[in-house]
Amino acid sequence: MLPRRSPAQRLGWATVPAACSTVGVLVAYRLSGYEIDLELIAIVALAALGVWFLITAALAGRRDRAAEAAMADPMAAYAATAPAVDTPDEPRTP
């Protein structure tokens, strides 16, 4: 089973596909004959990337604090587990 990824990790891993998609859209736009202001696009891209990194950092910090709080409570480890059910070794016959 794969380990569960945090929201920050999922957002971080989405950076590369988002950048590739953006480059693909820009190339298609340019090949269609339109003029592209690359300086403006670079400014907007840097701002978006900065906001993206701030969001992932905030999510990672929130998850770390939640994990520390859960570790401080000894009963929290049992909160998400299902109760044990005794099952017979042999099937019951009517």
Side-chain angles (χ1 to χ4, degrees), residues 8-87:
Q9 288 173 326
R10 288 192 292 261
L11 278 174
W13 278 101
T15 304
V16 173
C20 291
S21 298
T22 303
V23 169
V25 167
L26 290 176
V27 168
Y29 193 75
R30 179 69 177 134
L31 291 176
S32 296
Y34 294 101
E35 290 295 320
I36 299 174
D37 185 4
L38 290 179
E39 292 173 355
L40 179 62
I41 290 173
I43 291 169
V44 171
L46 285 174
L49 192 61
V51 169
W52 191 291
F53 287 149
L54 286 173
I55 291 172
T56 56
L59 288 174
R62 190 173 132 221
R63 181 174 170 93
D64 290 342
R65 283 191 301 276
E68 289 174 8
M71 293 300 286
D73 184 11
M75 294 304 291
Y78 302 105
T81 58
V85 177
D86 293 332
T87 56

